[in-house]
Amino acid sequence: MMAEESVPLSKDPEGSETSTSNTPTLEDLEDLLNTGRPSCNHVDEVWPNLYLGDHIAGHSRFGLWKMGISHVLNAAHGTIYCQEPHDFYGTTIDYHGVPAHDLPDFDISPYFYSAAEFIHKALTIPGAKIFVHCAVGISRSSSLVLAYLMIYHHLSLVEAIQTVKKHRWIFPNCGFLKQLRNLDIQLRKKIEQNGKNL
């Protein structure tokens, strides 16, 4: 079942400095992101059969084959470090490219639902494994993985960050973090409204 899209997420409905009952401030989120070990591997499994990593792992077709990867989501499609064409992986891997730039003023939010749907569909296939990457595997790709966990598994942004950080150090840039925070606020509101309608 595809998650419903809502209003554009780049606009901050609550003001980025204000904490809501379920969504902490940007400063609190950055403090949370700064915890734990500040390093990661080329690839880490951050959720069952969901791997997060960098372009080095993404460019290793043999390495991905050895891991059993069946789907690749490239969050830096067409950028300087990730210029492989859609057919780079041949017919053995389903590919989805998101042309995001790791800049605070880049609006990645229009890709939250389509990327989450791609990840979700991949993980519903028995035996499938998905690798999500960007250049370093810390900002763009982690933002899309966090959005997936929030949209399809109903985790709050804090819970999603904590879940991923158990396995990999991540740090979405401040613009992406604002957009994820806005997504969190909207998803919390939707849950509250659905609860009232029951």
Side-chain angles (χ1 to χ4, degrees), residues 14-15 19 23 31 49 58-59 70 76 82 86-87 90 117 127 139 141 156:
E14 299 291 325
S19 178
T23 304
D31 287 346
N49 298 318
H59 285 182
S70 56
C82 304
H86 276 279
D87 61 356
E117 183 183 12
S139 183
S141 54
S156 69

Side-chain angles (χ1 to χ4, degrees), residues 41-70:
N41 302 308
H42 289 299
V43 59
D44 294 289
E45 187 176 17
V46 297
W47 187 261
N49 298 318
L50 171 55
Y51 296 80
L52 181 57
D54 61 22
H55 75 283
I56 293 171
H59 285 182
S60 174
R61 286 180 284 206
F62 180 68
L64 295 176
W65 174 78
K66 278 199 334 186
M67 289 168 49
I69 298 297
S70 56

Side-chain angles (χ1 to χ4, degrees), residues 172-190:
N173 73 47
C174 61
F176 294 172
L177 206 53
K178 278 185 187 177
Q179 294 165 48
L180 286 164
R181 187 177 179 277
N182 294 341
L183 175 64
D184 192 41
I185 291 167
Q186 291 181 7
L187 291 171
R188 298 300 108 199
K189 283 182 179 173
K190 189 188 286 187

Side-chain angles (χ1 to χ4, degrees), residues 61 69-71 86-95:
R61 286 180 284 206
I69 298 297
S70 56
H71 294 71
H86 276 279
D87 61 356
F88 176 77
Y89 299 105
T91 57
T92 58
I93 288 180
D94 286 339
Y95 177 87

Side-chain angles (χ1 to χ4, degrees), residues 99-148:
H101 295 276
D102 191 16
L103 301 167
D105 61 350
F106 183 86
D107 189 0
I108 198 170
S109 65
Y111 301 103
F112 284 163
Y113 281 88
S114 59
E117 183 183 12
F118 182 76
I119 294 169
H120 177 72
K121 283 184 174 176
L123 294 178
T124 59
I125 299 169
K129 294 180 180 180
I130 184 165
F131 176 57
V132 183
H133 79 93
C134 54
V136 185
I138 290 173
S139 183
R140 287 170 281 193
S141 54
S142 70
S143 296
L144 297 180
V145 168
L146 293 172
Y148 159 73

Side-chain angles (χ1 to χ4, degrees), residues 2-16:
M2 183 176 164
E4 288 180 30
E5 293 191 44
S6 55
V7 297
L9 301 169
S10 56
K11 305 291 183 274
D12 191 347
E14 299 291 325
S16 61

